[in-house]
Amino acid sequence: MLRPYSPHYIPDMPDAVMLGGGPLTVRDVVAVARRFAPVSIDKEALKKLARSRKIVEDAAASDQAVYGINTGFGKLASVKVAPDQLRLLQRNLIVSHAAGLGDLLPAEVVRALMLLRANVLLMPTSGVRPVVPERLVAMLNAGIHPLVPEQGSVGASGDLAPLSHVGLGLIGEGEVLPPTPPSPLPTPSSPGGREEGGGRRAAAALGEAGIEPVVFEAKEGLAFINGTQAQSAILALLVHDAYSLWRTTHGAAALSLEALKGTPIPFDERLHAARPHRGQGESASLMRELLAQSEIRESHRDEDPRVQDSYSLRCVPQVLGAVKDAIDFACGVVDVEINAATDNPLVLGEEIISGGNFHGQPVAMALDYLAIALTTLAGISERRIERLVNPDLSPGLPAFLAANPGLESGFMMVQIAAAALVADCRVLSTPASVQSIPTDANQEDYVPMGMSAAVKARRILANAQRVVACELMCGAQGLEFHRPLKAGKGAERVFDQVRGLVRPLTGDRPLTADIENIAAHVAQEALV
């Protein structure tokens, strides 16, 4: 097994996750979201939270106006609320802001969202009662997931609508999915849909699990929905999947290069040391490992008239290296964000201070950058598919990799399908983080549109997984025409994995199921 180049992409996930005892990691998020790793809470964190709660309760009992505790919200912050209405104020906030629309977020995203929200609420800065994160974690461990629409958040003052739908479930209102057993990673990653519905009333599901609904007290409703946890949950899962896809794409590129009788010379370590971008060096190293000991290369080393391969083969490290650097950047953002205090106001020492940590601009920009990177990955993969199937660009290979070109179309439509997916990616990679529309009577006059960026990026990932699946299938078919010669040892390992999923094309057949089968496995683990 080739070593992973990311600290977050590893096959082993935590068996259990404790909140409040240390930093949360992307691996923790994946383990809980997809593998239903049980979640516990550090007792010392609960004690610290209880101490900060006393400060909030003192503020609620005072005559001083404190935002979100005894005032209205947003543009209504100047409206003072009577002490006997503070509980109603928090409930009204949740039910009024549960206005999400569109398809439902997949259960894995909702689970990640719940984990991240519990982690934020456990910070002393939140000032909520310990019972709030405790009950949220209980729901998570019971596999009870509120129905959360994916549209309706502009990413500030946080993901208000998605978090409000989770809050509805916590207070025993709204709908939830019934307890769901652990399931494999979605294959490939794809947007949610109303077909995931079939929800039931939250109160009934909580009752059966022995979980008491929470009645939000002063500040708790606001603390629950101020934050970037919906967009951050998606970013955390995307970062993990992007690292995996990045590795698989090298396997696909190695198959293509071998099938096209390309040269490994451009991956020479000395060449990349002369331009020491980190991702570029890691990409070149991975290509060298995949192509080592190639019989195909040795068969034409002395008689190849070509001086250089095309960019899509020769510049794999330069292009995919830049993609890796972008993923690393997104990973750095999410590492900070999932451990940050993002609600408002914050309890800081003995003071309660209003600010703007709920603003999702860092996350939105990371999502946009990741979307561009994944679009780039898909685009160069499609260019290699074109070289494999185009007889003008693939000397020695039959047109469209068909056994009987003319009578058969072979992989003609595979390249067309890949081109369509790449075009979709390019449209979706238009940045959302610059598309601000003022909200809340212009009180929230610059917003990041982080959830729009997140939803787009999820679809781009799904497209890219399918494009790489197309290249893997075409590259494996190309190697069939060079037998009995073997490709590099690493490339042969990838070939064997592809052949374990789909059989060679010996005559025309429908290819949708083959592509989706490979894409499903690409989504689950790296094929390298």
Side-chain angles (χ1 to χ4, degrees), residues 342-355:
T342 57
D343 49 316
N344 180 59
L346 295 180
V347 180
L348 300 172
E350 298 297 316
E351 295 183 81
I352 299 175
I353 299 178
S354 290

Side-chain angles (χ1 to χ4, degrees), residues 153-156 158-159 227-236 238 326 329-330 333-334 337 357-372 428-436 446-457 460:
S153 171
V154 298
D159 294 316
T228 62
Q229 280 64 54
Q231 55 195 290
S232 297
I234 292 175
L235 179 58
L238 282 173
F329 171 78
V333 170
V334 81
E337 194 70 10
N357 280 4
F358 49 67
H359 202 289
Q361 198 71 36
V363 182
M365 292 178 70
L367 283 160
D368 280 340
Y369 192 17
L370 186 58
I372 291 169
L428 292 168
S429 64
T430 300
S433 56
V434 297
Q435 307 291 341
S436 176
Y446 198 83
V447 299
M449 299 299 177
M451 273 302 285
S452 295
V455 170
K456 294 192 307 90
I460 288 172

Side-chain angles (χ1 to χ4, degrees), residues 266-267 283 309-321 380:
F267 311 130
S283 177
D309 289 325
S310 66
Y311 284 5
S312 61
L313 298 175
R314 188 187 353 151
C315 298
V316 166
Q318 288 80 5
V319 176
L320 292 186
I380 195 171

Side-chain angles (χ1 to χ4, degrees), residues 68 104 147 156 163 175 180 187 204 241 295 300-301 331 346 358 376 396 398 412 455 465 467 475 500 519 522:
L104 299 175
L147 302 187
L163 288 166
E175 290 186 301
T180 309
T187 54
D241 294 347
E295 294 177 5
H300 66 95
R301 179 189 292 271
C331 183
L346 295 180
F358 49 67
T376 300
M412 181 187 295
V455 170
Q465 288 168 334
V467 172
V522 167

